[in-house]
Amino acid sequence: MRELYGVTHPTKSPEDWLQAAETEKQRGRLKIFLGYAPGVGKTFSMLSEGIRRRSRGEDVVIGVVETHGRSGTAELSAKLEHIPRREIEYKGALFSEMNVDAILARAPQVALIDELAHTNIEGSRLSKRYEDVFLLLENKIDVVSTVNIQHVESLTSRVQALTGVIVREQVPDWVLDRADEIVISDLTPEALVTRMRRGDIYPAERIERSLANFFRRGNLIALREMALQRVTRAVDRSLDDYVRRKKLGAHWTVSEKIAVCISSGSQARDLIARGARLAEALDAELYVIHVATTLDETPERKRALESNLQFARNLGASVITLNDTDTAHATAAFVRENRITQAIVGRSATHGLRSYLYYLAIQKFMSEAPHVDLHIVTQEDR
């Protein structure tokens, strides 16, 4: 008990606070070390994190780690407790897989699990390692894991076209989106090539072939950019959550976000294409917003609208349909709440009352979303 201003208040001991924190924990936390190529230090960073957390008194185990014969990684790995792997026979051969049931029975605070995109051998409890990870998280075990950018599902086709290497192991984008923390394990392409030539990544017989293929400097620069973009996206998502929690202003942003506001008219496709070009130039997220009206109910307008929205999806846009009788208000609210940085709207070459109403709507939008840069594109009626 403590006394403050003459009033006695109950106090908690450190043990009480720890117990309360454990009670409040609903699931484990997922931290991912993301790399752009083998050898940048993801597994080393994961193991170093585990050793630091153990030194702070946390119960840390290794669920699975792949050292790939690298001495520094093997030395760190030897400093932590390993959960024995499970041996599974498949088509006459014996395979070694992470034993998720043994980890659950051991119930550590933290499990280190390498190579998140790995596909488990047939006969395992779950088919993919990321599914094992989410099972552990559901059981309130924190997980620290690793993955390379080429294994992120939405990027595999780009990586294959770039490097000529077929990427067989994939992890869905939503897995990374659910991570509580993503940290890039970064190394310049020049430093990575130096490590490769020293024999720190692959054995001698693989070095020259790797440098002439996947590890070409141009490939490494492009892959590194993809990884940096992915981490920026994660940072911006974390900021989104923080801004919403703290109810901060819409001007808080890290990356550009483009919104194209369309009707079901024939000019919409041109606006979407313009927005897509701007988003690509700025490496921005693209949204296409449509506020539904009674005009959209005719068969011809319905077909045109669906065609335009599908065109937007094909360009990678997030399509948003709002239902509100006040188009300017609804659009401004979305732009404000999602911290859009630039909005594109069309303006037909109209006169008289229609022109007056259009400018009233624009003024209302700007007054309700003052932080956004507004692009007004004049279009000819078709």
Side-chain angles (χ1 to χ4, degrees):
M1 306 289 282
R2 65 187 176 92
E3 188 168 321
L4 182 65
Y5 304 124
V7 180
T8 302
H9 299 271
T11 59
K12 288 184 179 180
S13 67
E15 291 75 20
D16 291 333
W17 284 112
L18 285 171
Q19 186 176 5
E22 281 298 316
T23 302
E24 292 164 7
K25 186 174 182 179
Q26 300 298 313
R27 62 183 289 275
R29 290 179 57 82
L30 175 59
K31 180 172 184 175
I32 296 174
F33 284 97
L34 176 69
Y36 69 88
V40 295
K42 303 178 304 298
T43 303
F44 194 92
S45 297
M46 178 187 73
L47 292 168
S48 300
E49 167 98 356
I51 291 168
R52 282 195 302 273
R53 292 176 72 159
R54 189 189 63 176
S55 72
R56 297 198 297 262
E58 294 183 62
D59 182 16
V60 181
V61 303
I62 291 176
V64 64
V65 66
E66 304 294 348
T67 65
H68 299 290
R70 297 164 194 160
S71 58
T73 304
E75 288 172 14
L76 284 186
S77 174
K79 295 180 180 181
L80 292 166
E81 176 188 347
H82 287 245
I83 301 297
R85 299 194 194 189
R86 180 186 176 198
E87 301 294 330
I88 300 175
E89 186 175 344
Y90 178 67
K91 293 186 177 179
L94 202 60
F95 294 86
S96 176
E97 289 284 11
M98 184 179 77
N99 193 335
V100 68
D101 292 309
I103 299 173
L104 288 169
R106 170 68 174 72
Q109 288 175 287
V110 185
L112 309 184
I113 298 175
D114 212 2
E115 300 189 354
L116 187 62
H118 173 77
T119 300
N120 296 330
I121 200 70
E122 192 171 316
S124 301
R125 176 169 177 171
L126 298 166
S127 62
K128 295 288 291 187
R129 185 165 289 168
Y130 68 79
E131 295 175 327
D132 293 331
V133 164
F134 277 97
L135 179 60
L136 298 177
L137 295 173
E138 288 167 9
N139 283 272
K140 302 180 182 179
I141 297 171
D142 291 349
V143 174
V144 184
S145 190
T146 67
V147 72
N148 270 334
I149 195 66
Q150 65 263 33
H151 297 292
V152 178
E153 190 173 50
S154 66
L155 298 175
T156 53
S157 59
R158 285 176 60 191
V159 172
Q160 287 175 189
L162 178 74
T163 65
V165 175
I166 296 174
V167 182
R168 302 191 185 279
E169 303 276 25
Q170 298 179 10
V171 59
D173 290 58
W174 63 260
V175 173
L176 272 70
D177 289 339
R178 291 192 188 179
D180 298 284
E181 188 177 356
I182 298 179
V183 179
I184 191 165
S185 294
D186 195 27
L187 199 63
T188 66
E190 293 77 14
L192 185 59
V193 168
T194 299
R195 291 200 67 204
M196 174 69 80
R197 293 194 183 283
R198 277 203 313 254
D200 294 343
I201 300 174
Y202 291 149
E205 63 272 15
R206 293 182 59 186
I207 292 175
E208 290 306 320
R209 187 172 73 250
S210 297
L211 288 172
N213 293 286
F214 188 89
F215 281 78
R216 291 197 305 272
R217 187 170 182 272
N219 287 353
L220 297 179
I221 291 170
L223 290 166
R224 188 186 188 207
E225 183 178 352
M226 289 182 203
L228 290 167
Q229 288 171 352
R230 186 73 204 203
V231 172
T232 299
R233 171 177 160 179
V235 169
D236 201 40
R237 192 177 68 250
S238 298
L239 183 59
D240 275 336
D241 294 339
Y242 180 80
V243 167
R244 288 192 175 97
R245 247 187 358 259
K246 298 294 184 180
K247 296 182 172 59
L248 300 176
H251 59 281
W252 282 68
T253 191
V254 171
S255 60
E256 294 281 351
K257 295 182 180 181
I258 312 298
V260 181
C261 309
I262 67 166
S263 68
S264 55
S266 57
Q267 304 96 332
R269 185 171 290 241
D270 292 339
L271 287 179
I272 295 168
R274 181 183 286 254
R277 290 194 298 272
L278 181 60
E280 184 177 6
L282 297 176
D283 189 28
E285 293 180 56
L286 177 62
Y287 296 82
V288 171
I289 305 171
H290 172 254
V291 180
T293 70
T294 54
L295 292 174
D296 305 328
E297 295 174 3
T298 66
E300 184 181 351
R301 300 277 281 198
K302 271 186 180 178
R303 282 194 301 271
L305 177 61
E306 187 47 48
S307 174
N308 290 331
L309 295 182
Q310 187 56 54
F311 176 65
R313 294 185 190 100
N314 293 343
L315 293 176
S318 298
V319 173
I320 309 296
T321 300
L322 304 175
N323 291 287
D324 199 303
T325 54
D326 189 334
T327 299
H329 173 75
T331 306
F334 178 86
V335 162
R336 196 171 56 247
E337 290 164 11
N338 291 274
R339 298 175 25 255
I340 301 297
T341 59
Q342 304 200 42
I344 299 175
V345 299
R347 182 179 74 87
S348 298
T350 56
H351 304 281
L353 181 60
R354 286 182 63 189
S355 178
Y356 174 72
L357 293 174
Y358 172 83
Y359 281 113
L360 281 181
I362 288 294
Q363 285 181 337
K364 183 171 187 178
F365 173 84
M366 293 176 68
S367 67
E368 294 188 16
H371 71 284
V372 73
D373 292 340
L374 183 62
H375 304 256
I376 300 176
V377 181
T378 300
Q379 300 171 304
E380 295 296 328
D381 286 324
R382 296 179 184 173

